[in-house]
PDB file of all heavy atoms in Angstrom:
ATOM      1  N   PHE S   1      95.974 128.106 143.446  1.00  0.00           N
ATOM      2  CA  PHE S   1      95.192 128.493 142.274  1.00  0.00           C
ATOM      3  C   PHE S   1      95.982 128.527 140.969  1.00  0.00           C
ATOM      4  O   PHE S   1      95.394 128.546 139.893  1.00  0.00           O
ATOM      5  CB  PHE S   1      94.515 129.844 142.517  1.00  0.00           C
ATOM      6  CG  PHE S   1      93.631 129.854 143.736  1.00  0.00           C
ATOM      7  CD1 PHE S   1      93.651 130.911 144.631  1.00  0.00           C
ATOM      8  CD2 PHE S   1      92.790 128.784 143.998  1.00  0.00           C
ATOM      9  CE1 PHE S   1      92.845 130.915 145.755  1.00  0.00           C
ATOM     10  CE2 PHE S   1      91.972 128.773 145.124  1.00  0.00           C
ATOM     11  CZ  PHE S   1      92.010 129.841 146.010  1.00  0.00           C
ATOM     12  N   SER S   2      97.310 128.538 141.052  1.00  0.00           N
ATOM     13  CA  SER S   2      98.121 128.520 139.832  1.00  0.00           C
ATOM     14  C   SER S   2      98.431 127.097 139.358  1.00  0.00           C
ATOM     15  O   SER S   2      99.057 126.925 138.309  1.00  0.00           O
ATOM     16  CB  SER S   2      99.442 129.268 140.077  1.00  0.00           C
ATOM     17  OG  SER S   2     100.222 128.577 141.041  1.00  0.00           O
ATOM     18  N   LYS S   3      97.977 126.095 140.113  1.00  0.00           N
ATOM     19  CA  LYS S   3      98.339 124.710 139.818  1.00  0.00           C
ATOM     20  C   LYS S   3      97.317 124.029 138.906  1.00  0.00           C
ATOM     21  O   LYS S   3      96.110 124.258 139.022  1.00  0.00           O
ATOM     22  CB  LYS S   3      98.459 123.900 141.115  1.00  0.00           C
ATOM     23  CG  LYS S   3      99.426 124.493 142.137  1.00  0.00           C
ATOM     24  CD  LYS S   3     100.839 124.607 141.585  1.00  0.00           C
ATOM     25  CE  LYS S   3     101.811 125.103 142.645  1.00  0.00           C
ATOM     26  NZ  LYS S   3     103.163 125.295 142.120  1.00  0.00           N
ATOM     27  N   ALA S   4      97.817 123.155 138.035  1.00  0.00           N
ATOM     28  CA  ALA S   4      96.955 122.434 137.090  1.00  0.00           C
ATOM     29  C   ALA S   4      95.957 121.542 137.829  1.00  0.00           C
ATOM     30  O   ALA S   4      94.811 121.372 137.375  1.00  0.00           O
ATOM     31  CB  ALA S   4      97.809 121.596 136.143  1.00  0.00           C
ATOM     32  N   GLU S   5      96.378 120.974 138.965  1.00  0.00           N
ATOM     33  CA  GLU S   5      95.488 120.109 139.745  1.00  0.00           C
ATOM     34  C   GLU S   5      94.251 120.880 140.200  1.00  0.00           C
ATOM     35  O   GLU S   5      93.123 120.357 140.165  1.00  0.00           O
ATOM     36  CB  GLU S   5      96.237 119.569 140.964  1.00  0.00           C
ATOM     37  CG  GLU S   5      95.418 118.623 141.842  1.00  0.00           C
ATOM     38  CD  GLU S   5      96.179 118.165 143.068  1.00  0.00           C
ATOM     39  OE1 GLU S   5      97.398 118.440 143.179  1.00  0.00           O
ATOM     40  OE2 GLU S   5      95.540 117.515 143.921  1.00  0.00           O
ATOM     41  N   TRP S   6      94.453 122.146 140.628  1.00  0.00           N
ATOM     42  CA  TRP S   6      93.332 122.972 141.053  1.00  0.00           C
ATOM     43  C   TRP S   6      92.422 123.300 139.870  1.00  0.00           C
ATOM     44  O   TRP S   6      91.200 123.155 139.949  1.00  0.00           O
ATOM     45  CB  TRP S   6      93.813 124.284 141.691  1.00  0.00           C
ATOM     46  CG  TRP S   6      92.714 125.309 141.719  1.00  0.00           C
ATOM     47  CD1 TRP S   6      92.563 126.391 140.911  1.00  0.00           C
ATOM     48  CD2 TRP S   6      91.562 125.288 142.568  1.00  0.00           C
ATOM     49  NE1 TRP S   6      91.398 127.054 141.186  1.00  0.00           N
ATOM     50  CE2 TRP S   6      90.762 126.395 142.209  1.00  0.00           C
ATOM     51  CE3 TRP S   6      91.130 124.450 143.591  1.00  0.00           C
ATOM     52  CZ2 TRP S   6      89.556 126.683 142.849  1.00  0.00           C
ATOM     53  CZ3 TRP S   6      89.926 124.732 144.227  1.00  0.00           C
ATOM     54  CH2 TRP S   6      89.158 125.835 143.863  1.00  0.00           C
ATOM     55  N   THR S   7      93.008 123.739 138.768  1.00  0.00           N
ATOM     56  CA  THR S   7      92.212 124.134 137.596  1.00  0.00           C
ATOM     57  C   THR S   7      91.362 122.970 137.098  1.00  0.00           C
ATOM     58  O   THR S   7      90.177 123.151 136.759  1.00  0.00           O
ATOM     59  CB  THR S   7      93.132 124.644 136.470  1.00  0.00           C
ATOM     60  OG1 THR S   7      93.908 125.736 136.960  1.00  0.00           O
ATOM     61  CG2 THR S   7      92.318 125.102 135.270  1.00  0.00           C
ATOM     62  N   ALA S   8      91.949 121.775 137.068  1.00  0.00           N
ATOM     63  CA  ALA S   8      91.210 120.598 136.596  1.00  0.00           C
ATOM     64  C   ALA S   8      90.021 120.312 137.503  1.00  0.00           C
ATOM     65  O   ALA S   8      88.906 120.018 137.027  1.00  0.00           O
ATOM     66  CB  ALA S   8      92.144 119.392 136.543  1.00  0.00           C
ATOM     67  N   TRP S   9      90.225 120.407 138.826  1.00  0.00           N
ATOM     68  CA  TRP S   9      89.136 120.127 139.755  1.00  0.00           C
ATOM     69  C   TRP S   9      88.070 121.213 139.687  1.00  0.00           C
ATOM     70  O   TRP S   9      86.864 120.926 139.638  1.00  0.00           O
ATOM     71  CB  TRP S   9      89.678 120.029 141.189  1.00  0.00           C
ATOM     72  CG  TRP S   9      88.609 119.640 142.167  1.00  0.00           C
ATOM     73  CD1 TRP S   9      88.223 118.378 142.500  1.00  0.00           C
ATOM     74  CD2 TRP S   9      87.770 120.530 142.915  1.00  0.00           C
ATOM     75  NE1 TRP S   9      87.189 118.426 143.420  1.00  0.00           N
ATOM     76  CE2 TRP S   9      86.895 119.734 143.695  1.00  0.00           C
ATOM     77  CE3 TRP S   9      87.673 121.921 143.013  1.00  0.00           C
ATOM     78  CZ2 TRP S   9      85.939 120.279 144.551  1.00  0.00           C
ATOM     79  CZ3 TRP S   9      86.718 122.469 143.868  1.00  0.00           C
ATOM     80  CH2 TRP S   9      85.869 121.660 144.624  1.00  0.00           C
ATOM     81  N   ALA S  10      88.504 122.486 139.681  1.00  0.00           N
ATOM     82  CA  ALA S  10      87.562 123.607 139.672  1.00  0.00           C
ATOM     83  C   ALA S  10      86.689 123.584 138.424  1.00  0.00           C
ATOM     84  O   ALA S  10      85.487 123.878 138.485  1.00  0.00           O
ATOM     85  CB  ALA S  10      88.323 124.921 139.759  1.00  0.00           C
ATOM     86  N   THR S  11      87.260 123.217 137.295  1.00  0.00           N
ATOM     87  CA  THR S  11      86.509 123.176 136.037  1.00  0.00           C
ATOM     88  C   THR S  11      85.324 122.224 136.128  1.00  0.00           C
ATOM     89  O   THR S  11      84.270 122.464 135.533  1.00  0.00           O
ATOM     90  CB  THR S  11      87.434 122.756 134.878  1.00  0.00           C
ATOM     91  OG1 THR S  11      88.500 123.701 134.763  1.00  0.00           O
ATOM     92  CG2 THR S  11      86.686 122.699 133.562  1.00  0.00           C
ATOM     93  N   GLN S  12      85.482 121.176 136.901  1.00  0.00           N
ATOM     94  CA  GLN S  12      84.431 120.164 137.007  1.00  0.00           C
ATOM     95  C   GLN S  12      83.441 120.435 138.144  1.00  0.00           C
ATOM     96  O   GLN S  12      82.342 119.872 138.138  1.00  0.00           O
ATOM     97  CB  GLN S  12      85.064 118.783 137.224  1.00  0.00           C
ATOM     98  CG  GLN S  12      85.923 118.298 136.080  1.00  0.00           C
ATOM     99  CD  GLN S  12      85.122 118.114 134.803  1.00  0.00           C
ATOM    100  OE1 GLN S  12      83.998 117.603 134.838  1.00  0.00           O
ATOM    101  NE2 GLN S  12      85.694 118.533 133.690  1.00  0.00           N
ATOM    102  N   ASN S  13      83.822 121.303 139.102  1.00  0.00           N
ATOM    103  CA  ASN S  13      83.029 121.334 140.334  1.00  0.00           C
ATOM    104  C   ASN S  13      82.502 122.688 140.793  1.00  0.00           C
ATOM    105  O   ASN S  13      81.498 122.727 141.516  1.00  0.00           O
ATOM    106  CB  ASN S  13      83.866 120.737 141.480  1.00  0.00           C
ATOM    107  CG  ASN S  13      84.138 119.266 141.292  1.00  0.00           C
ATOM    108  OD1 ASN S  13      83.276 118.431 141.536  1.00  0.00           O
ATOM    109  ND2 ASN S  13      85.346 118.944 140.823  1.00  0.00           N
ATOM    110  N   VAL S  14      83.154 123.795 140.440  1.00  0.00           N
ATOM    111  CA  VAL S  14      82.721 125.097 140.944  1.00  0.00           C
ATOM    112  C   VAL S  14      82.842 126.172 139.864  1.00  0.00           C
ATOM    113  O   VAL S  14      83.578 126.013 138.887  1.00  0.00           O
ATOM    114  CB  VAL S  14      83.551 125.542 142.181  1.00  0.00           C
ATOM    115  CG1 VAL S  14      83.273 124.654 143.377  1.00  0.00           C
ATOM    116  CG2 VAL S  14      85.046 125.562 141.864  1.00  0.00           C
ATOM    117  N   VAL S  15      82.115 127.270 140.076  1.00  0.00           N
ATOM    118  CA  VAL S  15      82.267 128.477 139.264  1.00  0.00           C
ATOM    119  C   VAL S  15      83.054 129.471 140.113  1.00  0.00           C
ATOM    120  O   VAL S  15      82.693 129.744 141.259  1.00  0.00           O
ATOM    121  CB  VAL S  15      80.904 129.069 138.884  1.00  0.00           C
ATOM    122  CG1 VAL S  15      81.090 130.342 138.066  1.00  0.00           C
ATOM    123  CG2 VAL S  15      80.068 128.054 138.113  1.00  0.00           C
ATOM    124  N   CYS S  16      84.138 130.005 139.580  1.00  0.00           N
ATOM    125  CA  CYS S  16      85.098 130.783 140.381  1.00  0.00           C
ATOM    126  C   CYS S  16      84.892 132.295 140.232  1.00  0.00           C
ATOM    127  O   CYS S  16      85.123 132.858 139.158  1.00  0.00           O
ATOM    128  CB  CYS S  16      86.518 130.426 139.976  1.00  0.00           C
ATOM    129  SG  CYS S  16      86.926 128.686 140.243  1.00  0.00           S
ATOM    130  N   ALA S  17      84.476 132.955 141.324  1.00  0.00           N
ATOM    131  CA  ALA S  17      84.245 134.407 141.325  1.00  0.00           C
ATOM    132  C   ALA S  17      85.331 135.104 142.133  1.00  0.00           C
ATOM    133  O   ALA S  17      85.589 134.744 143.275  1.00  0.00           O
ATOM    134  CB  ALA S  17      82.878 134.720 141.908  1.00  0.00           C
ATOM    135  N   TRP S  18      85.961 136.111 141.549  1.00  0.00           N
ATOM    136  CA  TRP S  18      87.105 136.836 142.128  1.00  0.00           C
ATOM    137  C   TRP S  18      86.604 138.190 142.624  1.00  0.00           C
ATOM    138  O   TRP S  18      86.249 139.065 141.838  1.00  0.00           O
ATOM    139  CB  TRP S  18      88.143 137.012 141.033  1.00  0.00           C
ATOM    140  CG  TRP S  18      89.468 137.612 141.383  1.00  0.00           C
ATOM    141  CD1 TRP S  18      89.788 138.935 141.400  1.00  0.00           C
ATOM    142  CD2 TRP S  18      90.680 136.904 141.699  1.00  0.00           C
ATOM    143  NE1 TRP S  18      91.119 139.098 141.711  1.00  0.00           N
ATOM    144  CE2 TRP S  18      91.683 137.874 141.897  1.00  0.00           C
ATOM    145  CE3 TRP S  18      91.006 135.556 141.830  1.00  0.00           C
ATOM    146  CZ2 TRP S  18      92.994 137.535 142.216  1.00  0.00           C
ATOM    147  CZ3 TRP S  18      92.309 135.217 142.152  1.00  0.00           C
ATOM    148  CH2 TRP S  18      93.294 136.201 142.349  1.00  0.00           C
ATOM    149  N   VAL S  19      86.546 138.366 143.965  1.00  0.00           N
ATOM    150  CA  VAL S  19      86.045 139.611 144.557  1.00  0.00           C
ATOM    151  C   VAL S  19      87.239 140.313 145.199  1.00  0.00           C
ATOM    152  O   VAL S  19      87.651 139.996 146.307  1.00  0.00           O
ATOM    153  CB  VAL S  19      84.940 139.322 145.593  1.00  0.00           C
ATOM    154  CG1 VAL S  19      84.299 140.630 146.067  1.00  0.00           C
ATOM    155  CG2 VAL S  19      83.878 138.395 145.004  1.00  0.00           C
ATOM    156  N   ASP S  20      87.782 141.299 144.489  1.00  0.00           N
ATOM    157  CA  ASP S  20      89.107 141.844 144.826  1.00  0.00           C
ATOM    158  C   ASP S  20      89.022 143.198 145.524  1.00  0.00           C
ATOM    159  O   ASP S  20      88.166 144.035 145.204  1.00  0.00           O
ATOM    160  CB  ASP S  20      89.918 141.978 143.530  1.00  0.00           C
ATOM    161  CG  ASP S  20      91.417 142.029 143.781  1.00  0.00           C
ATOM    162  OD1 ASP S  20      91.833 141.958 144.952  1.00  0.00           O
ATOM    163  OD2 ASP S  20      92.183 142.118 142.800  1.00  0.00           O
ATOM    164  N   PHE S  21      89.958 143.404 146.491  1.00  0.00           N
ATOM    165  CA  PHE S  21      90.078 144.672 147.203  1.00  0.00           C
ATOM    166  C   PHE S  21      91.547 145.108 147.162  1.00  0.00           C
ATOM    167  O   PHE S  21      92.223 145.165 148.199  1.00  0.00           O
ATOM    168  CB  PHE S  21      89.592 144.512 148.650  1.00  0.00           C
ATOM    169  CG  PHE S  21      88.141 144.153 148.751  1.00  0.00           C
ATOM    170  CD1 PHE S  21      87.737 142.827 148.605  1.00  0.00           C
ATOM    171  CD2 PHE S  21      87.183 145.122 148.959  1.00  0.00           C
ATOM    172  CE1 PHE S  21      86.397 142.484 148.670  1.00  0.00           C
ATOM    173  CE2 PHE S  21      85.838 144.784 149.035  1.00  0.00           C
ATOM    174  CZ  PHE S  21      85.450 143.469 148.889  1.00  0.00           C
ATOM    175  N   PRO S  22      92.071 145.401 145.965  1.00  0.00           N
ATOM    176  CA  PRO S  22      93.499 145.737 145.832  1.00  0.00           C
ATOM    177  C   PRO S  22      93.788 147.177 146.226  1.00  0.00           C
ATOM    178  O   PRO S  22      92.891 148.020 146.273  1.00  0.00           O
ATOM    179  CB  PRO S  22      93.739 145.535 144.334  1.00  0.00           C
ATOM    180  CG  PRO S  22      92.428 145.906 143.716  1.00  0.00           C
ATOM    181  CD  PRO S  22      91.373 145.436 144.680  1.00  0.00           C
ATOM    182  N   ARG S  23      95.053 147.460 146.485  1.00  0.00           N
ATOM    183  CA  ARG S  23      95.462 148.846 146.709  1.00  0.00           C
ATOM    184  C   ARG S  23      95.477 149.603 145.393  1.00  0.00           C
ATOM    185  O   ARG S  23      95.180 150.791 145.343  1.00  0.00           O
ATOM    186  CB  ARG S  23      96.842 148.868 147.375  1.00  0.00           C
ATOM    187  CG  ARG S  23      96.774 148.438 148.840  1.00  0.00           C
ATOM    188  CD  ARG S  23      98.092 148.542 149.550  1.00  0.00           C
ATOM    189  NE  ARG S  23      97.936 148.170 150.952  1.00  0.00           N
ATOM    190  CZ  ARG S  23      98.837 147.540 151.669  1.00  0.00           C
ATOM    191  NH1 ARG S  23      99.983 147.187 151.117  1.00  0.00           N
ATOM    192  NH2 ARG S  23      98.621 147.242 152.940  1.00  0.00           N
ATOM    193  N   GLU S  24      95.896 148.899 144.322  1.00  0.00           N
ATOM    194  CA  GLU S  24      95.875 149.508 142.985  1.00  0.00           C
ATOM    195  C   GLU S  24      94.448 149.370 142.438  1.00  0.00           C
ATOM    196  O   GLU S  24      94.056 148.329 141.929  1.00  0.00           O
ATOM    197  CB  GLU S  24      96.872 148.793 142.068  1.00  0.00           C
ATOM    198  CG  GLU S  24      96.855 149.293 140.624  1.00  0.00           C
ATOM    199  CD  GLU S  24      96.939 150.801 140.534  1.00  0.00           C
ATOM    200  OE1 GLU S  24      97.944 151.379 140.969  1.00  0.00           O
ATOM    201  OE2 GLU S  24      95.948 151.397 140.029  1.00  0.00           O
ATOM    202  N   LYS S  25      93.659 150.429 142.588  1.00  0.00           N
ATOM    203  CA  LYS S  25      92.228 150.371 142.307  1.00  0.00           C
ATOM    204  C   LYS S  25      91.903 149.998 140.864  1.00  0.00           C
ATOM    205  O   LYS S  25      90.833 149.461 140.577  1.00  0.00           O
ATOM    206  CB  LYS S  25      91.561 151.711 142.647  1.00  0.00           C
ATOM    207  CG  LYS S  25      91.733 152.132 144.095  1.00  0.00           C
ATOM    208  CD  LYS S  25      91.223 151.082 145.066  1.00  0.00           C
ATOM    209  CE  LYS S  25      91.380 151.508 146.517  1.00  0.00           C
ATOM    210  NZ  LYS S  25      91.029 150.432 147.468  1.00  0.00           N
ATOM    211  N   THR S  26      92.822 150.286 139.935  1.00  0.00           N
ATOM    212  CA  THR S  26      92.539 150.003 138.533  1.00  0.00           C
ATOM    213  C   THR S  26      92.474 148.501 138.239  1.00  0.00           C
ATOM    214  O   THR S  26      92.051 148.105 137.151  1.00  0.00           O
ATOM    215  CB  THR S  26      93.601 150.651 137.619  1.00  0.00           C
ATOM    216  OG1 THR S  26      94.896 150.146 137.958  1.00  0.00           O
ATOM    217  CG2 THR S  26      93.580 152.163 137.768  1.00  0.00           C
ATOM    218  N   LEU S  27      92.888 147.662 139.208  1.00  0.00           N
ATOM    219  CA  LEU S  27      92.805 146.218 138.999  1.00  0.00           C
ATOM    220  C   LEU S  27      91.359 145.728 139.003  1.00  0.00           C
ATOM    221  O   LEU S  27      91.079 144.613 138.555  1.00  0.00           O
ATOM    222  CB  LEU S  27      93.612 145.481 140.078  1.00  0.00           C
ATOM    223  CG  LEU S  27      95.128 145.659 140.033  1.00  0.00           C
ATOM    224  CD1 LEU S  27      95.783 144.977 141.227  1.00  0.00           C
ATOM    225  CD2 LEU S  27      95.690 145.096 138.730  1.00  0.00           C
ATOM    226  N   VAL S  28      90.467 146.556 139.522  1.00  0.00           N
ATOM    227  CA  VAL S  28      89.041 146.204 139.553  1.00  0.00           C
ATOM    228  C   VAL S  28      88.271 147.213 138.713  1.00  0.00           C
ATOM    229  O   VAL S  28      88.395 148.424 138.934  1.00  0.00           O
ATOM    230  CB  VAL S  28      88.497 146.226 140.999  1.00  0.00           C
ATOM    231  CG1 VAL S  28      86.994 145.949 141.017  1.00  0.00           C
ATOM    232  CG2 VAL S  28      89.230 145.202 141.857  1.00  0.00           C
ATOM    233  N   PRO S  29      87.483 146.754 137.732  1.00  0.00           N
ATOM    234  CA  PRO S  29      86.678 147.692 136.953  1.00  0.00           C
ATOM    235  C   PRO S  29      85.806 148.554 137.869  1.00  0.00           C
ATOM    236  O   PRO S  29      85.281 148.068 138.876  1.00  0.00           O
ATOM    237  CB  PRO S  29      85.806 146.766 136.089  1.00  0.00           C
ATOM    238  CG  PRO S  29      86.624 145.520 135.953  1.00  0.00           C
ATOM    239  CD  PRO S  29      87.330 145.362 137.275  1.00  0.00           C
ATOM    240  N   GLU S  30      85.683 149.819 137.525  1.00  0.00           N
ATOM    241  CA  GLU S  30      84.942 150.753 138.370  1.00  0.00           C
ATOM    242  C   GLU S  30      83.526 150.261 138.665  1.00  0.00           C
ATOM    243  O   GLU S  30      82.999 150.453 139.768  1.00  0.00           O
ATOM    244  CB  GLU S  30      84.890 152.129 137.698  1.00  0.00           C
ATOM    245  CG  GLU S  30      84.303 153.208 138.576  1.00  0.00           C
ATOM    246  CD  GLU S  30      84.394 154.588 137.954  1.00  0.00           C
ATOM    247  OE1 GLU S  30      85.020 154.708 136.874  1.00  0.00           O
ATOM    248  OE2 GLU S  30      83.855 155.535 138.542  1.00  0.00           O
ATOM    249  N   ALA S  31      82.918 149.587 137.698  1.00  0.00           N
ATOM    250  CA  ALA S  31      81.545 149.110 137.864  1.00  0.00           C
ATOM    251  C   ALA S  31      81.406 148.074 138.977  1.00  0.00           C
ATOM    252  O   ALA S  31      80.313 147.854 139.498  1.00  0.00           O
ATOM    253  CB  ALA S  31      81.044 148.510 136.549  1.00  0.00           C
ATOM    254  N   PHE S  32      82.532 147.427 139.360  1.00  0.00           N
ATOM    255  CA  PHE S  32      82.478 146.361 140.356  1.00  0.00           C
ATOM    256  C   PHE S  32      82.898 146.804 141.761  1.00  0.00           C
ATOM    257  O   PHE S  32      82.730 146.054 142.718  1.00  0.00           O
ATOM    258  CB  PHE S  32      83.381 145.195 139.937  1.00  0.00           C
ATOM    259  CG  PHE S  32      82.955 144.499 138.669  1.00  0.00           C
ATOM    260  CD1 PHE S  32      83.895 143.831 137.897  1.00  0.00           C
ATOM    261  CD2 PHE S  32      81.638 144.509 138.244  1.00  0.00           C
ATOM    262  CE1 PHE S  32      83.522 143.181 136.726  1.00  0.00           C
ATOM    263  CE2 PHE S  32      81.256 143.875 137.084  1.00  0.00           C
ATOM    264  CZ  PHE S  32      82.192 143.202 136.316  1.00  0.00           C
ATOM    265  N   ARG S  33      83.463 147.997 141.897  1.00  0.00           N
ATOM    266  CA  ARG S  33      84.062 148.378 143.182  1.00  0.00           C
ATOM    267  C   ARG S  33      83.024 148.510 144.299  1.00  0.00           C
ATOM    268  O   ARG S  33      83.196 147.935 145.376  1.00  0.00           O
ATOM    269  CB  ARG S  33      84.851 149.678 143.018  1.00  0.00           C
ATOM    270  CG  ARG S  33      86.073 149.516 142.121  1.00  0.00           C
ATOM    271  CD  ARG S  33      86.737 150.844 141.809  1.00  0.00           C
ATOM    272  NE  ARG S  33      87.629 150.707 140.656  1.00  0.00           N
ATOM    273  CZ  ARG S  33      88.180 151.722 140.003  1.00  0.00           C
ATOM    274  NH1 ARG S  33      87.946 152.964 140.408  1.00  0.00           N
ATOM    275  NH2 ARG S  33      88.954 151.507 138.959  1.00  0.00           N
ATOM    276  N   ALA S  34      81.958 149.253 144.045  1.00  0.00           N
ATOM    277  CA  ALA S  34      80.919 149.404 145.067  1.00  0.00           C
ATOM    278  C   ALA S  34      80.231 148.070 145.333  1.00  0.00           C
ATOM    279  O   ALA S  34      79.898 147.746 146.479  1.00  0.00           O
ATOM    280  CB  ALA S  34      79.897 150.449 144.630  1.00  0.00           C
ATOM    281  N   ARG S  35      80.065 147.281 144.286  1.00  0.00           N
ATOM    282  CA  ARG S  35      79.439 145.963 144.456  1.00  0.00           C
ATOM    283  C   ARG S  35      80.287 145.065 145.339  1.00  0.00           C
ATOM    284  O   ARG S  35      79.764 144.341 146.194  1.00  0.00           O
ATOM    285  CB  ARG S  35      79.235 145.308 143.084  1.00  0.00           C
ATOM    286  CG  ARG S  35      78.577 143.940 143.115  1.00  0.00           C
ATOM    287  CD  ARG S  35      79.159 143.044 142.068  1.00  0.00           C
ATOM    288  NE  ARG S  35      80.597 142.832 142.239  1.00  0.00           N
ATOM    289  CZ  ARG S  35      81.380 142.274 141.342  1.00  0.00           C
ATOM    290  NH1 ARG S  35      80.881 141.881 140.199  1.00  0.00           N
ATOM    291  NH2 ARG S  35      82.673 142.114 141.576  1.00  0.00           N
ATOM    292  N   ASN S  36      81.609 145.106 145.174  1.00  0.00           N
ATOM    293  CA  ASN S  36      82.494 144.302 146.011  1.00  0.00           C
ATOM    294  C   ASN S  36      82.356 144.677 147.480  1.00  0.00           C
ATOM    295  O   ASN S  36      82.320 143.811 148.364  1.00  0.00           O
ATOM    296  CB  ASN S  36      83.947 144.459 145.564  1.00  0.00           C
ATOM    297  CG  ASN S  36      84.241 143.698 144.281  1.00  0.00           C
ATOM    298  OD1 ASN S  36      83.356 143.099 143.691  1.00  0.00           O
ATOM    299  ND2 ASN S  36      85.486 143.734 143.853  1.00  0.00           N
ATOM    300  N   GLU S  37      82.297 145.988 147.751  1.00  0.00           N
ATOM    301  CA  GLU S  37      82.117 146.448 149.129  1.00  0.00           C
ATOM    302  C   GLU S  37      80.782 145.938 149.686  1.00  0.00           C
ATOM    303  O   GLU S  37      80.707 145.506 150.844  1.00  0.00           O
ATOM    304  CB  GLU S  37      82.145 147.979 149.188  1.00  0.00           C
ATOM    305  CG  GLU S  37      83.493 148.600 148.851  1.00  0.00           C
ATOM    306  CD  GLU S  37      84.533 148.372 149.937  1.00  0.00           C
ATOM    307  OE1 GLU S  37      84.163 147.948 151.046  1.00  0.00           O
ATOM    308  OE2 GLU S  37      85.730 148.614 149.658  1.00  0.00           O
ATOM    309  N   ALA S  38      79.755 145.984 148.863  1.00  0.00           N
ATOM    310  CA  ALA S  38      78.432 145.521 149.303  1.00  0.00           C
ATOM    311  C   ALA S  38      78.437 144.019 149.582  1.00  0.00           C
ATOM    312  O   ALA S  38      77.833 143.550 150.553  1.00  0.00           O
ATOM    313  CB  ALA S  38      77.386 145.856 148.246  1.00  0.00           C
ATOM    314  N   LEU S  39      79.151 143.252 148.753  1.00  0.00           N
ATOM    315  CA  LEU S  39      79.237 141.802 148.961  1.00  0.00           C
ATOM    316  C   LEU S  39      79.979 141.483 150.261  1.00  0.00           C
ATOM    317  O   LEU S  39      79.565 140.597 151.022  1.00  0.00           O
ATOM    318  CB  LEU S  39      79.952 141.146 147.778  1.00  0.00           C
ATOM    319  CG  LEU S  39      79.153 141.014 146.486  1.00  0.00           C
ATOM    320  CD1 LEU S  39      80.065 140.556 145.345  1.00  0.00           C
ATOM    321  CD2 LEU S  39      77.991 140.040 146.653  1.00  0.00           C
ATOM    322  N   ALA S  40      81.069 142.204 150.522  1.00  0.00           N
ATOM    323  CA  ALA S  40      81.825 141.975 151.752  1.00  0.00           C
ATOM    324  C   ALA S  40      80.976 142.259 152.979  1.00  0.00           C
ATOM    325  O   ALA S  40      81.009 141.524 153.973  1.00  0.00           O
ATOM    326  CB  ALA S  40      83.084 142.848 151.764  1.00  0.00           C
ATOM    327  N   GLN S  41      80.168 143.314 152.900  1.00  0.00           N
ATOM    328  CA  GLN S  41      79.287 143.658 154.016  1.00  0.00           C
ATOM    329  C   GLN S  41      78.169 142.623 154.160  1.00  0.00           C
ATOM    330  O   GLN S  41      77.854 142.181 155.270  1.00  0.00           O
ATOM    331  CB  GLN S  41      78.692 145.050 153.800  1.00  0.00           C
ATOM    332  CG  GLN S  41      77.845 145.533 154.972  1.00  0.00           C
ATOM    333  CD  GLN S  41      77.424 146.987 154.822  1.00  0.00           C
ATOM    334  OE1 GLN S  41      77.778 147.660 153.861  1.00  0.00           O
ATOM    335  NE2 GLN S  41      76.654 147.484 155.778  1.00  0.00           N
ATOM    336  N   GLU S  42      77.597 142.233 153.036  1.00  0.00           N
ATOM    337  CA  GLU S  42      76.497 141.255 153.057  1.00  0.00           C
ATOM    338  C   GLU S  42      76.924 139.941 153.689  1.00  0.00           C
ATOM    339  O   GLU S  42      76.169 139.338 154.468  1.00  0.00           O
ATOM    340  CB  GLU S  42      76.015 141.010 151.627  1.00  0.00           C
ATOM    341  CG  GLU S  42      74.918 139.948 151.520  1.00  0.00           C
ATOM    342  CD  GLU S  42      74.532 139.654 150.078  1.00  0.00           C
ATOM    343  OE1 GLU S  42      75.004 140.361 149.161  1.00  0.00           O
ATOM    344  OE2 GLU S  42      73.750 138.698 149.863  1.00  0.00           O
TER     345      GLU S  42
END
């Protein structure tokens, strides 16, 4: 994901959604935390 080849391809082909479960909770906005858990379960 850090490579230019990936970014060039992704820009043309997909929309990239980042659903994170970090140990450092502040990396995810509070509004998204419960939603992320719900998405993982779904």
Side-chain angles (χ1 to χ4, degrees):
F1 303 136
S2 65
K3 305 300 184 183
E5 181 183 352
W6 161 256
T7 302
W9 184 87
T11 300
Q12 296 297 318
N13 293 282
V14 292
V15 179
C16 299
W18 186 272
V19 187
D20 201 0
F21 297 82
R23 287 184 178 145
E24 176 49 62
K25 301 304 181 186
T26 59
L27 292 175
V28 176
E30 188 174 354
F32 296 154
R33 293 172 197 168
R35 181 217 60 192
N36 285 3
E37 293 289 347
L39 285 171
Q41 185 172 359
E42 177 184 353

